[in-house]
Amino acid sequence: ELKVEQNPLFLSMQEGKNYTIYCNYSTTSDRLYWYRQDPGKSLESLFVLLSNGAVKQEGRLMASLDTKARLSTLHITAAVHDLSATYFCAAFIEGAQKLVFGQGTRLTINP
Amino acid sequence: NAGVTQTPKFQVLKTGQSMTLQCAQDMNHNSMYWYRQDPGMGLRLIYYSASEGTTDKGEVPNGYNVSRLNKREFSLRLESAAPSQTSVYFCASGRQSNQPQHFGDGTRLSIL
């Protein structure tokens, strides 16, 4: 059964710093999603990574996928307060046609 | 463009009561999903419908039933609510099961 684990679960950082959130998954999956959730709000799709080596960037966020290592990363560059949120990765189970979510990483960016 | 609409947004039930959570999407999506979100556990899939007319169990289906009423609507029913079902419930839809899912605003359900 596919399991998805994020690291770290909580991250407090200062504005202007760089950091990376890691997403490991346990079995084969060639499709990885990143979502953002603000407190009390719904989930917003950030990135879809479809193949090994895929890299997507949007502003200060960059996501990558290494299917051989079963690892996706979400890199934050020069963090700003507006990026404070909970970030989820989710891996797609091809045979079962569904997503499995990680536990989420709660990111707090302090001025 | 409303996207995915869930009703109600908040609900308090007593143990043993029944309730149906409603979800509708206006994006002509084929796939629809119900998740529950609990602190520290991410989102867990309850049931999903890959296409109109089909439903399948997810990770945590016990205590729930679903109905894919038509392409737009996918409801979640709690037949006899239990305190362990206190959670935030999200409905989502996607064009196909391997496409990004669009989420509703959630239903915050408390069972006393």
Side-chain angles (χ1 to χ4, degrees):
Chain A
E1 183 174 332
L2 178 62
K3 293 189 184 299
V4 180
E5 294 188 348
Q6 290 181 231
N7 179 40
L9 300 183
F10 299 93
L11 178 58
S12 180
M13 55 192 292
Q14 288 184 315
E15 280 191 327
K17 301 291 187 181
N18 304 331
Y19 211 81
T20 300
I21 300 171
Y22 297 89
C23 174
N24 290 92
Y25 52 97
S26 61
T27 61
T28 301
S29 175
D30 61 0
R31 195 176 296 261
L32 198 291
Y33 301 81
W34 284 96
Y35 288 87
R36 168 182 172 147
Q37 185 181 35
D38 293 303
K41 302 293 186 181
S42 185
L43 280 79
E44 173 191 358
S45 178
L46 293 174
F47 300 109
V48 181
L49 302 167
L50 300 178
S51 60
N52 188 42
V55 177
K56 294 278 185 74
Q57 184 163 3
E58 180 72 31
R60 301 175 188 274
L61 299 178
M62 184 174 70
S64 65
L65 178 62
D66 182 343
T67 57
K68 294 178 181 177
R70 297 178 184 166
L71 172 68
S72 180
T73 61
L74 181 65
H75 187 72
I76 303 140
T77 302
V80 294
H81 179 69
D82 286 352
L83 291 178
S84 295
T86 299
Y87 293 86
F88 292 93
C89 65
F92 180 71
I93 304 177
E94 186 72 34
Q97 301 290 297
K98 60 186 181 182
L99 289 180
V100 176
F101 280 80
Q103 312 98 307
T105 296
R106 184 181 297 179
L107 174 63
T108 303
I109 299 168
N110 305 303
Chain B
N1 192 353
V4 179
T5 302
Q6 291 183 236
T7 56
K9 294 189 185 305
F10 301 93
Q11 185 70 47
V12 179
L13 295 177
K14 293 181 180 179
T15 297
Q17 287 186 314
S18 61
M19 164 153 202
T20 299
L21 307 185
Q22 306 287 352
C23 175
Q25 53 92 7
D26 62 3
M27 296 174 282
N28 200 35
H29 285 168
N30 291 309
S31 302
M32 297 187 73
Y33 308 83
W34 277 105
Y35 295 91
R36 60 179 288 172
Q37 184 176 30
D38 301 293
M41 302 189 74
L43 276 77
R44 292 183 292 168
L45 183 64
I46 305 171
Y47 271 94
Y48 66 106
S49 171
S51 60
E52 186 180 358
T54 68
T55 60
D56 287 286
K57 294 179 179 179
E59 183 182 355
V60 288
N62 291 342
Y64 305 94
N65 284 301
V66 291
S67 296
R68 182 77 183 264
L69 304 170
N70 47 56
K71 191 171 186 178
R72 292 186 63 248
E73 298 173 287
F74 188 39
S75 63
L76 178 71
R77 183 160 178 86
L78 287 70
E79 290 290 353
S80 179
S84 61
Q85 294 177 305
T86 292
S87 188
V88 180
Y89 291 85
F90 285 99
C91 176
S93 71
R95 183 174 301 173
Q96 302 291 347
S97 55
N98 60 0
Q99 297 294 310
Q101 295 178 14
H102 299 259
F103 285 79
D105 288 338
T107 295
R108 284 149 183 80
L109 182 62
S110 293
I111 298 159
L112 307 176

